[in-house]
Amino acid sequence: MLWENRQSNYDKYPKIKIKEIDELSSEAYEGYADIVSKIKATVENLHKEKVVIVLDYYHGVRVEELQINLIEKLNPVKTFYAEEARLPEKILFKKLARNITDDRVFGVLSVHKINEFYDELKIEALKKQIDEIKQGLIIIYGIGASLITKGDILIYGDLARWEIQQRFRSHELDNWGVGNYDEDILRKYKRAYFIEWRVLDRHKREVFEEMDFLIDTNKKNNPKMITQKAFYTALEQAVNQPFRLVPYFDEGVWGGTWMEKVCDLKRVKNNFAWCFDGVPEENSLYLDFKGIVVEIPAIDLVFVKAKKLLGEKVYARFGAEFPIRFDFLDTMNGGNLSLQVHPIIDYIQQNFGMHYTQDESYYILDAKDDACVYLGIKEDVDKNDLITALKDGQQGKVFEADKYINKFKVKKHDHISIPAGTIHCSGKNSMVLEISSTPYIFTMKLWDWGRVGLDGLPRPVHLEHGEKVI
């Protein structure tokens, strides 16, 4: 088997080395001291009595760190925190309730804009206070700060979605303005996925066009900053060459041991179940500016260079969204995935606001002799009997998967097609490269072999959705 006695050559930290076109195209700064120095120099070069710096950023940025190490070091005469104009959570919750839903996993995709989260009267009051100050350095900071003014210098703080998830899990981070630090991670992720990330992505696409600097805030107390020109230069280079995204690995109840060996991973507690290695919405890019490595969300490349990256036909169909994803599913010496189904297109459109669904395939990278895939309902099975048996499974009875679902043996290099609406899962002792369309969160679990999650809670099962799309 491939994974035994093998020296790992898997690159966990792929970088794009940015070629210098001119001096400005490679401007990168590391650490607060250098960043503060560059911003101060930029302020001085404006030769103005009054200078307004706007520091806008994504939710998840460590605000106190920025306050102490960046804002205070710039010695402003006055600072304004834009989020004081944010609408109270009780008002926003009513506005967002239809998108949040009561479900633990599924919401409805938001089409809100960031200005809908703010009180217009408070925004106008802040603008008036800023206008009344006639000289000195003024700093406006906060999520959506550029709604108040673009200022003389506009800085945007960004970070990777995987880093946001880690801050969710460690209880360091709540959903934006909610204060739910200790809430169930699935509910926090749901609100971020269906609402916050949609709203903030729309906002930062506009900010990119006007910002002067972008700050990578992924590493604690070790920010990196690049100019807007460096940012655009790097993305232009990336879209004209082969490149890889920065992978990340996550543990799971059915996780295996193949990736741990082949990818040279260090397991802390549980087996690794997933590797996300080609999902721009989730992964990052490492941009190497002469040794200063700046991490940005890979989706930034899709936003800025969509047509060139995707091609005109794909862009015309999907817009600035990367419609295909690649990830690894490791069940080697692990367990079965949950028995699941993905919604058909009409159902995902009508219920979740997504415009296409997850058709997928399994390419078998490696397998033991007993590896298998569950795929599709057996021909002699009545659907009503199947649903009854699945419902009984949620009441403590064992669901006899082999009685209702086809079970196929698989071997290395097999490739299995799984259209939406098809019940499926990979069995234990296989290593799967999953190639699918992008809407990855819309997985309706039907049966999970009686397991609980790593958090000790029952893993969510969605028969009420699943029975309508099988």
Side-chain angles (χ1 to χ4, degrees):
M1 289 174 56
L2 176 65
W3 66 299
E4 294 177 334
N5 303 314
R6 187 177 188 276
Q7 184 70 34
S8 176
N9 65 351
Y10 179 82
D11 185 1
K12 297 189 287 292
Y13 311 102
K15 302 178 184 68
I16 302 173
K17 291 193 174 182
I18 306 305
K19 301 168 187 174
E20 183 177 353
I21 298 173
D22 54 46
E23 186 178 346
L24 291 177
S25 71
S26 62
E27 277 199 311
Y29 308 86
E30 182 171 4
Y32 281 109
D34 284 352
I35 290 172
V36 168
S37 178
K38 174 59 180 177
I39 295 172
K40 282 184 174 180
T42 306
V43 170
E44 290 174 5
N45 288 337
L46 292 175
H47 303 294
K48 295 176 66 175
E49 287 190 7
K50 175 182 175 180
V51 174
V52 177
I53 292 178
V54 176
L55 177 57
D56 203 334
Y57 44 76
Y58 213 85
H59 177 59
V61 168
R62 293 183 170 105
V63 181
E64 186 176 357
E65 181 182 315
L66 289 176
Q67 289 172 323
I68 294 171
N69 298 290
L70 179 59
I71 296 172
E72 291 180 9
K73 300 295 184 184
L74 290 169
N75 301 314
V77 297
K78 184 71 175 177
T79 61
F80 295 90
Y81 183 47
E83 291 175 58
E84 290 180 359
R86 183 182 181 273
L87 290 168
E89 172 60 17
K90 63 181 179 181
I91 293 176
L92 285 174
F93 188 84
K94 290 180 181 179
K95 181 183 290 193
L96 302 172
R98 176 69 184 90
N99 299 94
I100 296 172
T101 75
D102 293 329
D103 192 278
R104 191 179 171 204
V105 175
F106 299 127
V108 178
L109 287 170
S110 164
V111 293
H112 295 91
K113 297 290 186 70
I114 195 168
N115 62 291
E116 297 176 66
F117 287 67
Y118 281 88
D119 185 321
E120 291 182 9
L121 294 177
K122 289 184 178 180
I123 290 284
E124 290 303 316
L126 285 172
K127 288 180 179 179
K128 185 177 179 181
Q129 290 181 60
I130 294 164
D131 288 342
E132 289 174 351
I133 300 172
K134 301 305 179 185
Q135 62 181 13
L137 176 64
I138 300 163
I139 297 180
I140 308 161
Y141 68 100
I143 296 168
S146 56
L147 292 175
I148 299 170
T149 176
K150 300 299 187 292
D152 299 293
I153 300 171
L154 176 55
I155 304 168
Y156 190 76
D158 213 351
L159 77 165
R161 194 163 290 181
W162 178 236
E163 177 60 25
I164 294 173
Q165 291 183 55
Q166 298 314 297
R167 297 180 191 184
F168 277 154
R169 293 181 184 186
S170 69
H171 310 294
E172 174 188 351
L173 184 64
D174 63 343
N175 288 112
W176 181 26
V178 179
N180 59 338
Y181 295 93
D182 296 324
E183 190 174 26
D184 172 13
I185 179 60
L186 290 181
R187 291 186 180 276
K188 289 166 78 173
Y189 183 90
K190 176 192 70 173
R191 181 157 173 165
Y193 180 91
F194 285 95
I195 301 172
E196 288 164 16
W197 294 340
R198 306 300 145 190
V199 172
L200 296 176
D201 282 350
R202 290 186 190 103
H203 177 59
K204 77 173 177 179
R205 288 176 67 176
E206 296 178 356
V207 175
F208 285 161
E209 296 177 2
E210 301 189 67
M211 70 182 181
D212 298 284
F213 300 101
L214 180 137
I215 298 181
D216 159 14
T217 67
N218 288 282
K219 299 292 187 292
K220 191 172 186 177
N221 293 317
N222 186 27
K224 322 288 176 56
M225 186 176 80
I226 52 176
T227 61
Q228 185 204 50
K229 185 170 184 179
F231 176 70
Y232 278 102
T233 296
L235 298 187
E236 179 65 20
Q237 180 183 320
V239 82
N240 281 290
Q241 67 176 58
F243 64 90
R244 271 189 62 211
L245 309 183
V246 180
Y248 68 83
F249 301 83
D250 204 8
E251 60 186 15
V253 292
W254 43 262
T257 57
W258 192 94
M259 292 190 299
E260 183 180 348
K261 295 180 181 294
V262 174
C263 301
D264 189 27
L265 307 177
K266 291 182 173 49
R267 178 164 56 95
V268 176
K269 190 174 181 182
N270 302 291
N271 286 348
F272 292 103
W274 288 277
C275 169
F276 291 81
D277 198 341
V279 189
E281 191 171 339
E282 292 282 325
N283 289 115
S284 302
L285 289 174
Y286 282 156
L287 308 176
D288 187 347
F289 295 90
K290 294 182 177 179
I292 296 178
V293 179
V294 177
E295 182 178 5
I296 65 168
I299 195 67
D300 290 356
L301 176 64
V302 182
F303 291 154
V304 175
K305 296 290 181 181
K307 189 178 292 188
K308 198 164 188 177
L309 178 68
L310 301 173
E312 290 192 9
K313 288 184 178 180
V314 176
Y315 176 70
R317 167 65 178 86
F318 294 97
E321 183 168 320
F322 201 84
I324 191 169
R325 65 193 293 268
F326 308 88
D327 59 278
F328 297 137
L329 307 172
D330 185 354
T331 69
M332 197 70 74
N333 298 318
N336 297 339
L337 273 65
S338 60
L339 201 63
Q340 58 193 246
V341 65
H342 301 300
I344 57 176
I345 288 179
D346 184 65
Y347 194 84
I348 202 170
Q349 288 175 340
Q350 294 300 316
N351 290 275
F352 305 112
M354 191 75 195
H355 59 290
Y356 65 111
T357 192
Q358 185 173 341
D359 297 303
E360 66 181 25
S361 67
Y362 289 165
Y363 180 79
I364 308 301
L365 291 171
D366 208 349
K368 286 190 175 183
D369 291 339
D370 61 345
C372 70
V373 165
Y374 287 89
L375 185 67
I377 303 169
K378 289 184 174 180
E379 290 187 5
D380 59 349
V381 168
D382 181 86
K383 183 178 177 181
N384 291 327
D385 293 342
L386 167 66
I387 298 302
T388 298
L390 286 168
K391 289 179 177 177
D392 288 344
Q394 299 312 301
Q395 304 302 317
K397 295 183 180 180
V398 174
F399 174 71
E400 300 177 70
D402 291 20
K403 178 179 176 181
Y404 298 95
I405 310 300
N406 297 308
K407 184 178 179 180
F408 299 99
K409 291 196 67 169
V410 291
K411 62 184 184 303
K412 184 177 172 180
H413 298 315
D414 281 349
H415 193 193
I416 296 94
S417 178
I418 310 169
T422 307
I423 294 180
H424 66 281
C425 78
S426 172
K428 64 181 181 180
N429 290 327
S430 66
M431 183 63 204
V432 174
L433 168 61
E434 184 180 55
I435 308 167
S436 69
S437 46
T438 302
Y440 54 91
I441 199 174
F442 302 95
T443 296
M444 284 78 185
K445 293 184 179 67
L446 306 172
W447 168 245
D448 199 38
W449 316 98
R451 297 178 295 209
V452 296
L454 296 179
D455 56 6
L457 299 173
R459 300 182 77 211
V461 170
H462 286 93
L463 285 179
E464 72 278 13
H465 290 301
E467 67 177 310
K468 296 173 183 174
V469 301
I470 294 170

